[in-house]
């Protein structure tokens, strides 16, 4: 079967454990683009966290940011946006702080990344990974009418379950998903990576059954379920791997999982 489009998560998938692209992964991306097969990055990161990858590896592509809340074409033009309001974001922050959760919050709106404590080691680590600096502030620092793509809680791993459950109970109408053992994302209702895949395929006139997707964590599940050929990385949690057939589990992010999967199905 000739697949027509490829979607890929970044962290734990496109990038290895050192947050770099392997040679085969980069070769795969550029090979797809040379054959005019659209390649979309689908990430929980904001746009500014993707641009350093483009500069380092000398390619560009359309990107889905904030796990589906924002879709940009390869030139940075907005294709789709569905964000949380400033008022709702303030309520989320008030709830997190009043609950005394062992976490630090982050607010993302386009290229803005606002935090409450830049000295928190979790913030410092994230800045180093995405090669972007955060700004200390509040949601009130954003302009009126600004859409917040994502509110992110960086949690003590022993408390992530509690924080995720608390947020789900307090804000049942929002989209809440875990993207690692320490990260809980809050987005507007209906926002998922899977929904972004459907939006993109519809705009391009491509059947999602003719799409390939790569991911490694809980926030990738909807995306993987939305396509005809899903690949879960071998570095994914065992609980997720149990939900997939062995032929849909590829090698890990340190072992050319993307390149090997595409080669296996005749796309390389």
């Amino acid at each position: 079967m000739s697949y027509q489009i490829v979607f890929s998560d970044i962290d734990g998938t496109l990038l290895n454990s050192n947050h770099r692209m392997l040679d085969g992964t980069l070769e795969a991306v550029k090979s797809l683009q040379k054959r005019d097969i659209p390649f979309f990055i689908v990430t929980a990161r904001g746009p500014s966290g993707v641009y350093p990858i483009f500069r380092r590896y000398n390619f560009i592509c359309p990107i889905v940011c904030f796990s589906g809340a924002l879709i940009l074409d390869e030139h940075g033009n907005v294709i789709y946006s569905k964000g949380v309001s400033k008022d709702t974001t303030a309520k989320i922050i008030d709830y997190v702080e009043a609950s005394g959760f062992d976490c630090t919050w982050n607010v993302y709106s386009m290229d803005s990344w606002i935090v409450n404590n830049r000295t928190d080691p979790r913030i410092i680590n994230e800045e180093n990974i995405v090669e972007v600096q955060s700004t200390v502030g509040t949601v009130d620092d954003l302009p009126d009418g600004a859409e917040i793509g994502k509110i992110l809680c960086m949690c003590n791993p022993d408390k992530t379950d509690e924080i995720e459950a608390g947020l789900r109970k307090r804000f049942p109408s929002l989209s809440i998903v875990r993207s690692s053992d320490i990260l809980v994302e809050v987005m507007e209702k209906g926002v998922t990576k899977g929904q972004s895949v459907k939006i993109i395929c519809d705009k391009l006139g491509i059947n999602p059954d003719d799409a390939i997707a790569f991911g490694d964590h809980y926030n990738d599940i909807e995306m993987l379920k939305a396509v005809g050929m899903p690949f879960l990385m071998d570095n994914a949690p065992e609980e997720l791997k149990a939900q997939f057939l062995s032929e849909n589990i590829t090698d890990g992010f340190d072992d050319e999982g993307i390149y090997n999967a595409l080669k296996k199905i005749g796309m390389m």
Side-chain angles (χ1 to χ4, degrees):
M1 181 175 181
S2 180
Y3 293 96
Q4 298 180 37
I5 189 168
V6 178
F7 300 93
S8 177
D9 171 50
I10 290 182
D11 299 292
T13 304
L14 188 72
L15 302 185
N16 68 2
S17 55
N18 293 317
H19 312 292
R20 295 293 184 266
M21 287 182 72
L22 297 174
D23 291 343
T25 304
L26 181 59
E27 179 187 343
V29 171
K30 294 193 172 183
S31 174
L32 291 169
Q33 293 184 326
K34 285 179 182 177
R35 289 176 283 153
D36 294 322
I37 298 171
F39 176 79
F40 276 74
I41 282 176
V42 186
T43 179
R45 295 188 183 196
S48 59
V50 180
Y51 297 148
I53 297 172
F54 292 164
R55 291 192 292 268
R56 177 173 288 115
Y57 298 106
N58 193 31
F59 78 95
I60 60 172
C61 69
I63 55 178
V64 177
C65 297
F66 310 132
S67 294
L70 177 67
I71 304 176
L72 305 175
D73 68 15
E74 62 269 33
H75 305 296
N77 300 310
V78 176
I79 297 174
Y80 174 86
S81 179
K82 185 178 183 181
V84 180
S85 69
K86 287 178 61 175
D87 181 60
T88 299
T89 299
K91 291 177 181 177
I92 294 167
I93 292 171
D94 287 346
Y95 168 74
V96 168
E97 293 184 342
S99 299
F101 287 143
D102 189 356
C103 71
T104 186
W105 57 259
N106 305 248
V107 171
Y108 295 85
S109 178
M110 285 298 291
D111 286 321
S112 296
W113 175 16
I114 297 172
V115 302
N116 63 333
N117 180 12
R118 254 196 96 196
T119 64
D120 189 296
R122 294 166 293 198
I123 300 292
I124 294 170
N125 182 59
E126 185 72 5
E127 288 183 337
N128 291 333
I129 290 173
V130 301
E131 301 176 73
V132 177
Q133 287 192 345
S134 61
T135 301
V136 175
T138 72
V139 68
D140 290 333
D141 295 329
L142 295 171
D144 291 341
E147 287 191 337
I148 288 78
K150 177 181 71 171
I151 300 95
L152 176 68
C153 292
M154 297 178 176
C155 314
N156 176 329
D158 295 331
K159 301 296 183 180
T160 306
D161 287 345
E162 174 191 345
I163 295 167
E164 181 183 12
L167 285 165
R168 286 182 180 275
K169 183 177 180 180
R170 177 64 180 81
F171 301 98
S173 66
L174 297 179
S175 180
I176 299 170
V177 66
R178 186 184 308 201
S179 54
S180 84
D181 63 342
I182 69 164
L183 302 178
V184 178
E185 307 172 11
V186 183
M187 285 85 62
E188 184 53 271
K189 180 180 180 179
V191 169
T192 68
K193 289 186 176 184
Q195 182 63 19
S196 71
V197 165
K198 295 173 185 176
I199 291 169
I200 291 164
C201 286
D202 182 63
K203 286 183 178 293
L204 297 179
I206 295 174
N207 188 325
D209 287 342
D210 298 329
I212 300 169
F214 293 91
D216 76 301
H217 227 287
Y218 293 98
N219 64 330
D220 297 315
I221 293 300
E222 295 294 333
M223 174 176 70
L224 296 174
K225 289 181 177 179
V227 303
M229 181 54 73
F231 283 107
L232 185 70
M233 308 299 285
D234 192 50
N235 46 279
E238 291 300 321
E239 179 185 350
L240 292 188
K241 289 163 68 174
Q243 300 179 30
F244 286 81
L245 298 173
S246 58
E247 56 260 38
N248 294 112
I249 298 176
T250 187
D251 298 306
F253 62 163
D254 284 328
D255 297 306
E256 294 288 15
I258 290 178
Y259 178 91
N260 292 339
L262 292 175
K263 184 175 182 181
K264 182 175 73 171
I265 62 173
M267 294 288 286
M268 288 296 299

